[in-house]
Amino acid sequence: METNEDSIPEPITKLRSSRQSSANWLRSFDHSGEDDARQYSKTIDENSGVGDGGDGGANNESNKGDIAENEEFMMCQETTNGDGDEGGARVDPPARERPADDNWPHRECLSFTRSLMFYGSGSITPEHETAAKYIEESRALRKKYYGGQGVQCSLDKKKTTNLEDCDGGAAAIAEDGAAEGSEENDDDKKPSASEQTEALPKTTTKRPSSTNETSYPSLEYVFGSNGVVEIYQATDFRRTNNLVTVPPLTSFVADYQRLLEMASSGAMRSFAFQRLQMLMSAFKMHITINGAAEDEAQSGLLGTDFYRTMKVDNHIHLAAAASAKQFVNFVRDKLENEGDTVVMEDGQTLKEVFKAAGLDKDHLTIDAFNVLADYSVYQRFDNFNSKYSPFRMAQMRKIFLKTDNHIDGRYFAELTKIVLSRHEQAKGHCSAAEMRLSIYGMESNEWEKLAKWVLRDWEGGATPGNMISSHNRWLVQVPRLWRVYCKKGKGTFSFQNMLENLFTPLFEATLHPEKCPEVAELLNHIVGFDSVDDEGSLEAPLSCCQPKSWKQEDNPAYCWQLYYLWANIEILNKVRESKGLNTFAFRPHAGETGDTMHLAATYMLCRSINHGINLDKLVSLQYLYYLDQVGLSISPLSNNFLFRKIHQTPFPKLFKRGLNVTLSTDDPLLFHMSDDALLEEYSVARASFDLSMTDISEIARNSVYQSGFENHLKEEWLGEHYKKGVTHCDENKTHVPLIRAKFRAEHLALEHSMVILLAAGKGKTVLQEMMHQFGDARNGQRSILVSNMTEVPDFPEQNQL
C-alpha cells in the first residue's frame, strides 16, 4: 500500500472520535497528580458503553478511535474533526507540541513502538495500586527537597547572569551560530560544530562581576548552631526573621527512613520490576521494528555526525584528567628543561628530588610511573588512591598534581592546560568537560588559595592565561574525610567547624564580594558540588546528632553528611538567586559501592549523580530514577578496575530501560590508554554493549542535558527548544533521530500516566480501558485486512479477528 496520505483506507480515516477526549488528556498530561487521574477516569466512564474486548464487542464505528489515535501519533499532517470530516482543528501528539511553523515530518518519516501491554483479568491488582501510591509519595519527597517545595524563602529572585552577557569565551559559540545540514558548495552555509570549536578562544573572559551588586537589600548570614546557615536582613539586629529555611535534620531523617520503608516493600519492588521489564522489552521491540528506520533517518541528517556533536565529560577529576602518556611526557620535559627549579620548601630542586629517590630520566616510562590501574586496585580504594602518586611517592603528587605547593601549583596548571587544549581544539571530535577541584574543609583559607590558582595569569609556557576555559566548567568536590580532620584537631574539632570552613567563605563572597573578590569571581565559574570518597568505608548509624556535637572519630552516615551539604548549598543558591548570580547543582558520587540505600538519599536531594551502578540491586529505586530522569554519569572502565567488571555493569540495561545515563571518564590517568579518554570510553562501550550510532548519540545528548553549561550553549548543542523535552531537540545538532526521541518520550509519559491512575485508585478502570484498546486494535486490524483484500485467504485462527 502506498504511503501517500490520499491512499489511506477509508476505514482508518473514519475511526476518529470515540476516545478523542482520552487522547486529549494524554496530550495535555503534565504529571499534576490526582486531578488528572480523576479527569481521565471521568472521560472513560462517559465512554463506558464502548466494546468489552471480546470477539465482537467493538464493531461499532465510534469504538475505533484508538486506530485513529495511533494515526495521529504517526505525525500525519492532516487531521479530522470529531465527526471524521477533514479540515477540523489539529490535535497535538501527546509527547510533543506542534512546531510554530507547522512543519511536521511526513508520516513515512516517523515510526515508534508502544509497549506490548496485554491486560487481562488479574493483571492489575490492589497491590499494584499500593505500589503506585508509594511511588507518588516517594516522588513527593524528592519534590520537597530537590524540588525545593519544603524550602521557605522570603527573598526575591533576580535574573541570573551568565557568560552570554559578556564578550568572548564560551559566548562565542552562540555568536557563531549552529551547524545546519546543507550542501558543501553552499556559499551561505553556517559553520559546522567542529568549525565553531576551532574558532573558539582558549579561555573565557570574566563574567559580570558580583562586586557591583549594590542595589539589592543588604543581607547578613549567621552559621546556626544546627550546622545550617541562617540569612537575615542587615537591619534585623535581633535575628528574629530567618529569610531562608530548609526542612530540619529530624524531618529529613524521618522522610529518608520512610523512603527506605517504601522502596523495600514487596509491593513496590514487584511493581517496579514488572514495569522495568516491560520497558526493556519495549526497547528491544522498538529496535527490532524501527532499527533500520532509525539508521536511515540518522544517515539523512546531513552536515553532522557523532564526532561533530557535542559530548560532555560530566565526571572527571582534575588530578587524574591527563592521560598517563601526557603525564609522563610532561614530567620528562620538566626534568630536562627545569631541573634546577626549586620545588620543595626545604630548597630541593626537581633534579635533586629525583636523584634522592634514585630516579633519572630513564625511569620516566608509563610502567615505571605505576599510575595505571591494575588488579591490585579491585575492591581496594586505598590502593587506588596510592596510584595518584607516581613511583608511589607522595612528593611527586605534591609537586605535579597539587594547587598548593612551593611553586604555587604551576606545574599542575600547565598540565591542566594541555588537557583543556584538546577539548578547545576539538582534536578528534567535539567535546567539553566538567572537571573537579577539591575543597577539603580542613582550613578556612582553602577557597582563597584555590581562587588564586584558578584566576592567576600563568605567564610563560605554551598556553599562558588563567584556568577558565570555554570548554570546561568547574565543579568542587568535597572529600568525606572527617576522620582525617578529627585527628588533626585531636578531639577539639567538631563537624560544625568543618562545615564553617566549607561554606563561610562562600556566603562571605556572595554577600560581601568586595571583601574577597577572587573567591567571588571563582564562584561565577563553578556549576556544582560533588561529594567523594569510598562509599564502602565504615560509617556511623544515621542519627539526629547536631554537627557541633559530632566530635568522635567515626565517620558520620553518608546521608547525614549529604543533608548538610545540600542544606547549605540550597540556602546559598537562594541568596545568589536574589542577587542575580549563578547557582550550583548538587551532583555527588553515589551507588558506586557500599550501601545501596545511599541512592535513596541522593534521589531525595540531588539533580544527578556520578556512578549509580548499585541501582541494579534495588529495582524500586531504579524505577524512581527513571520516572524523574535523575542523571547518572557512569564510568564503565573505572568500574571495571574498581568495583564491577565490564561484563557485569548495568549500564546497557539502564540505558535500554530509558534511564538518563551518560558516559564519563572519571580518572583518565588511571583507566585509559589513549590521549582522548572520552572517545575511548564511547568506543569501548559501543563494542562491549553492542550500541548503535543512534544509541551513542543519545548518550552524548544526555551528557549535555546533565551538564552545567549555560543555557545559550545548550541551545547551540541541543536546539532552541530543548527545555521542552527530548522531542524538541534539533536532530541536526544532537544526531538523534526524532524516531528515537519520540519513543523515549512516549513511554515516559505512559509510565507516569499509569502510576498516577493507579495511585488514584483507578486500577479497575485502567484494566477495563486497556481491554477495550486491545479489542479496538484487533478490530482495526481486521478492518484494514478486509478493506484492502478483495478475497481474504484462509489462515490459522482467522476467527480470532
Side-chain angles (χ1 to χ4, degrees), residues 359-559:
L359 303 172
D360 56 34
K361 65 180 181 179
D362 291 333
H363 289 90
L364 299 182
T365 66
I366 292 177
D367 292 334
F369 258 51
N370 196 24
V371 292
L372 286 174
D374 52 28
Y375 66 90
S376 67
V377 304
Y378 192 70
Q379 300 289 344
R380 288 290 302 273
F381 213 79
D382 54 341
N383 288 346
F384 162 73
N385 278 329
S386 68
K387 286 286 185 179
Y388 277 88
S389 302
F391 308 110
R392 298 295 179 97
M393 294 174 56
Q395 276 184 321
M396 294 296 180
R397 183 175 184 177
K398 184 174 183 180
I399 293 170
F400 291 101
L401 298 177
K402 292 290 184 180
T403 60
D404 183 18
N405 54 29
H406 185 69
I407 57 175
D408 298 325
R410 176 168 68 86
Y411 286 169
F412 195 22
E414 293 179 8
L415 180 61
T416 299
K417 284 177 174 292
I418 293 174
V419 177
L420 291 174
S421 66
R422 187 170 190 90
H423 294 291
E424 294 165 351
Q425 297 168 18
K427 290 186 176 180
H429 65 119
C430 294
S431 62
E434 294 183 303
M435 297 184 184
R436 270 69 172 167
L437 294 162
S438 293
I439 289 289
Y440 299 91
M442 303 287 179
E443 300 174 356
S444 60
N445 63 347
E446 289 179 26
W447 281 101
E448 182 180 359
K449 291 180 179 179
L450 182 63
K452 291 180 182 297
W453 183 82
V454 172
L455 300 175
R456 178 173 176 174
D457 185 356
W458 295 95
E459 299 178 358
T463 53
N466 59 34
M467 304 305 296
I468 307 303
S469 169
S470 59
H471 283 63
N472 178 62
R473 294 296 177 269
W474 294 109
L475 277 84
V476 169
Q477 64 181 27
V478 181
R480 296 185 298 277
L481 297 178
W482 162 251
R483 284 186 176 181
V484 176
Y485 184 67
C486 183
K487 289 179 180 179
K488 180 180 178 180
K490 298 180 180 180
T492 62
F493 292 164
S494 69
F495 200 87
Q496 174 94 2
N497 301 131
M498 198 171 185
L499 289 172
E500 290 176 359
N501 289 339
L502 287 171
F503 288 104
T504 296
L506 305 186
F507 283 93
E508 192 71 22
T510 297
L511 294 174
H512 308 290
E514 69 284 354
K515 295 181 180 179
C516 37
E518 291 173 319
V519 176
E521 179 60 28
L522 172 63
L523 294 182
N524 289 331
H525 303 284
I526 293 173
V527 298
F529 284 82
D530 194 349
S531 175
V532 301
D533 203 40
D534 181 9
E535 289 183 73
S537 62
L538 289 175
E539 59 183 52
L542 177 61
S543 69
C544 293
C545 178
Q546 296 296 312
K548 65 180 181 181
S549 302
W550 194 278
K551 295 183 179 181
Q552 62 266 39
E553 189 175 326
D554 296 341
N555 274 330
Y558 173 91
C559 55

Side-chain angles (χ1 to χ4, degrees), residues 106 129 143 145 183 195 224 227 248 258 339 355 362 384 483 501 584 619 622 626 736 754 783:
H106 288 293
E129 294 185 348
K143 293 174 184 176
Y145 291 91
E183 298 296 330
E195 290 170 340
R258 174 59 179 162
K355 184 177 180 180
D362 291 333
F384 162 73
R483 284 186 176 181
N501 289 339
F584 314 114
V619 289
Q622 187 182 144
Y626 166 74
V736 180
M754 170 69 71
S783 298

Side-chain angles (χ1 to χ4, degrees), residues 567-579:
N568 286 290
I569 292 169
E570 186 72 14
I571 294 171
L572 179 63
N573 281 342
K574 295 300 182 185
V575 174
R576 293 181 69 82
E577 280 181 353
S578 73
K579 297 174 70 65

